[in-house]
Amino acid sequence: MNVKDSWKIRVADALNRAAAEAGIEANIQASDIIAEIPPMPELGDLGFPMFSFAKLFKKAPPLIAASVAEKLLSNPEAQKIGTPAAQGPYINVRLNRKEIAAQILDAVLNEKTRYGRPGNMDNTRIMVEFSSPNTNKPLHLGHLRNDVLGESISRILAACGAEVRKVCIINDRGVHICKSMLAYKEYGEGKTPESEQIKSDHFVGKWYVKFNEMSKAGPAADERAQEMLREWEAGDAETVALWKKMNGWAVNGMKETYERTGISFDQYYYESQTYLEGKDEVLKGLEKGIFYKEEDGAVWIDLTEEKLDKKVLLRKDGTSLYVTQDIGTAISRHRDWEFDRLVYVVGSEQNYHFQVLFTILKKLGFEWAKNLYHLSYGMVNLPHGKMKSREGTVVDADDLLDNLAEMALAEIREKDREEAVGDSAGVSEKIALGALHYYLLSVDPVKDMLFNPEESLSFNGNTGPYLQYMGARISSMLRKADGTAASNGTIKPELLTEDAEWELIKTIEAYPDAVANAAAKMNPSFLTAYLYELSKGFSRFYHDCPILNAPEENLAAARLALSKAVLVILKDALNLVCIPFLEAM
Ligand code: ARG
């Protein structure tokens, strides 16, 4: 348990004892206690306001604080880790730096991978759907935000103990897919990604662009694409063969990008295999009277009571719609893998779609439907004129990654760090990912954002590379210390009492909470902010407190141990937000 929560329990207990003494019946819980950080460090490390108990005690808050402090002071166990005092309407606690330093260093250095694992989601099965691209064009900047949100939230939920299953549904059918197929069929002349030396999903995207040109010339192209979709649905051999070939190119190309960015899935679903699924459920719902049939034969649901609209679920020709398919896939996913929760990472332009979907599934009586969650995220753009993409408007994911890696490499060369870094191309790629992922995750998902490549790469701002640099710096110091007497000496955490040391210890102590918070709020930005705090804290410590040159060997040993603990947490948290760790940079 963290220090703050353990004090909440003590304060609640002291309040109950004070109440009992005054003949007041009280059942105050730890969750009723508010904990604050006092505005000035002189006041202590934790503060507990007593205002909310004035009514119960029929007493002024400072009087309550006085009697609670008295009760707390009579507990020798509490005294060991902190000194409580009544200050006006507050109970302020000055924590015992030596004792907490010892507890924290022990917890981090001896449990390592288990520290920062709150365990509050043990025995929960969570499915996370993310990325879910269409196979007519390559991944773009918006997908990069989606991908890193989905991957990061999955890692965070798993860190809290959940069993997580990452899934992706590939939209590989529909008229938009036929568009690239048609353009290729008419103008492709049998060219292939290999013959053209182009990444295979980019090759497919080129034909989608070509189709848009064809479409501008008149309605014929669009009609032919519709015709092609009918051929595909009828199972026409030639159309299906072309579809297989081009989808293979698209999907393989995307998988290369996932691999490059460290994104992975436990299962891929393909819409071509699932798109017929919702129909039966809709017919069952029709029998139960949840849906109704219009005169023309189309099946609808009226959601006006839920403050949503009327929605068609089966067209008059019996074909289904986007939402119908999602009804089917949600049900079959639950059948495949009984989840407690299902999270959809999908752009905010689909907010309405998911409201409708979740409402319908609840109406159909699925118990688990109340645990569906749309992790909605805003648009991401580049500042105007930053990078031209093939299509003019959308920024291609691979091109952007190439660009960032080139800029990182240029920086390494400029600083003459090629030799120190070793594999400069590999390191540049990791810096690019660190820059991108940190920038994308540090913004609240619901907000639209601009991605500024130069800013993201800055080595001394609130950026991914700054965090990577901090990790490299600590690693290099630990390498230097390796084998020295200080590195092998007995660790006396009680020597760590400087302000900078204490701040850093408190930040480490807050790590499990930061992980739990990011999971509860479905928002990795709590962890990017945490990482920045931790790095700034280390930087201050490094500046204020000589480590290898500490006046005494014991102190050097304790400071080295603190640095090791910071590195453990830094590595762990970087992994949760998909930023590669670097030994040197
Ligand atoms: N492929 C869709 C699109 O690009 C996103 C799919 C989202 N997932 C879902 N289950 N509806 O718009």
Side-chain angles (χ1 to χ4, degrees), residues 106-117 564 568-569 572:
D106 183 58
V108 178
L109 295 176
N110 297 336
E111 293 181 55
K112 275 191 182 147
T113 49
R114 286 208 338 264
Y115 189 76
R117 297 290 173 269
K564 279 181 197 162
V568 168
I569 305 293
D572 193 69

Side-chain angles (χ1 to χ4, degrees), residues 129 132-134 169 171 322 326 333 344 346 350 353-354:
E129 186 218 281
S132 299
N134 304 340
I169 181 158
N171 176 202
Y322 183 43
D326 258 336
R333 281 174 186 177
Y344 294 89
V346 182
Q350 297 195 27
H353 167 76
F354 284 101

